[in-house]
Amino acid sequence: MKYKRVLLKLSGESLMGDKQFGIDNKRLSEYATDIKNIYDNDVEVAIVIGGGNIFRGVQAEEGGMDRTHGDYMGMLATMINSMALQAALESVGLQTRLMSAIEMKEISEPFIRRKAVRHLEKGRVVIFGAGTGNPFFTTDSAASLRAIEINADVILKGTRVDGIYSADPEKNKDAVKYDTITFDEIYEKGLKVMDMTAFTLCKENDLPIIVFDMDTKGNLSKLIAGGDIGTIVQN
Ligand code: GTP
């Protein structure tokens, strides 16, 4: 396999499936099966999942709530998704450990970098919950940070689109999909992959990002097997 250790970033919104809110069990179990497949191919898997299907920090601001307050609520939302994912992964026979950036001893381990790495070496799927534990950072930033900390080979950013396009493919029929693109080209063309904090962390630490469609079953396995899936961003 091309990648030995990956950090998979899942979107909270995708977990809704066809629902308007919350967690779609069918989608959850599809994710679990996809993850099991790559694990069975000897890939060490760490996961960060967003919380947008439950709560978004910006929503709170619109309602007059303090941004920091909303961001912490968002971090808690990621814990709900992380726990759901943990249960789904265990139901397909994987061993998992959930580590939280905000201490919640009764339901998760605290995030300790060396322990996280050890868990991966021992074959456990590690889920990092509660973002970075800090307001003003997105779950993409958490994914970048954790990926660098655990020395992941790549971030696999699961989205609803199948890669990065030159323009919005839904609005512009001439939009072309990139198979590979550099961090600098993304800056120059003003394309959006992740927020700048997350993006810069990856660039400066030479960590490639693959943006791919996670909602098509089997895509993750194809990508890991070296298939022509998604767009890779690298230096
Ligand atoms: P190794 O000793 O490296 O093999 O790791 P381990 O995770 O199996 O050992 P440990 O004894 O630390 O953990 C046993 C179980 O307790 C695992 O399911 C952990 O996820 C869980 N666990 C460990 N620390 C905490 C904690 O602080 N809070 C909670 N809720 N569970 C914990």
Side-chain angles (χ1 to χ4, degrees):
M1 289 292 141
K2 196 166 169 195
Y3 302 111
K4 193 179 172 313
R5 178 176 294 167
V6 302
L7 191 136
L8 176 64
K9 163 74 206 314
L10 297 173
S11 109
E13 277 96 347
S14 291
L15 216 53
M16 286 191 290
D18 298 327
K19 295 168 60 171
Q20 297 300 309
F21 175 82
I23 297 170
D24 176 32
N25 286 326
K26 184 168 159 280
R27 176 57 55 76
L28 191 62
S29 76
E30 283 170 3
Y31 278 0
T33 312
D34 283 344
I35 293 163
K36 170 104 167 52
N37 282 338
I38 64 164
Y39 176 87
D40 287 344
N41 279 297
D42 287 333
V43 178
E44 293 176 2
V45 187
I47 305 171
V48 168
I49 184 160
N53 54 325
I54 297 167
F55 188 82
R56 301 188 69 84
V58 281
Q59 236 174 297
E61 241 185 337
E62 284 161 12
M65 195 190 286
D66 197 53
R67 164 76 191 265
T68 49
H69 200 82
D71 280 351
Y72 280 114
M73 290 170 72
M75 290 178 230
L76 297 181
T78 71
M79 280 301 281
I80 294 176
N81 285 339
S82 295
M83 289 180 73
L85 188 63
Q86 179 177 38
L89 293 172
E90 291 190 342
S91 77
V92 296
L94 291 170
Q95 284 197 44
T96 68
R97 294 292 185 267
L98 170 58
M99 302 187 122
S100 172
I102 297 176
E103 208 172 289
M104 299 188 209
K105 279 207 291 281
E106 288 75 8
I107 53 172
S108 65
E109 299 181 27
F111 171 72
I112 299 168
R113 191 193 71 86
R114 295 173 71 113
K115 213 164 156 71
V117 170
R118 193 74 192 117
H119 285 324
L120 290 167
E121 289 168 353
K122 287 191 174 177
R124 296 152 184 164
V125 174
V126 180
I127 307 169
F128 298 121
T132 66
N134 299 293
F136 300 104
F137 291 93
T138 60
T139 44
D140 277 347
S141 290
S144 306
L145 177 65
R146 296 297 183 235
I148 294 161
E149 286 186 279
I150 62 167
N151 273 320
D153 301 316
V154 66
I155 293 190
L156 307 177
K157 183 175 158 69
T159 64
R160 277 176 283 200
V161 286
D162 62 351
I164 300 169
Y165 283 80
S166 56
D168 185 343
E170 280 166 17
K171 293 181 189 144
N172 187 336
K173 65 177 174 47
D174 297 325
V176 288
K177 184 184 150 228
Y178 299 104
D179 291 330
T180 65
I181 189 165
T182 65
F183 285 101
D184 288 339
E185 282 171 317
I186 296 267
Y187 277 126
E188 282 156 20
K189 296 181 199 293
L191 300 171
K192 227 186 140 286
V193 177
M194 287 179 169
D195 64 278
M196 275 301 160
T197 310
F199 188 75
T200 308
L201 259 179
C202 293
K203 175 180 161 51
E204 290 186 344
N205 291 280
D206 208 13
L207 177 71
I209 307 165
I210 298 179
V211 178
F212 74 106
D213 170 17
M214 178 73 194
D215 296 349
T216 301
K217 219 171 165 309
N219 255 359
L220 181 63
S221 299
K222 281 189 206 149
L223 193 169
I224 287 291
D228 195 10
I229 301 282
T231 300
I232 182 160
V233 188
Q234 55 200 352
N235 272 318

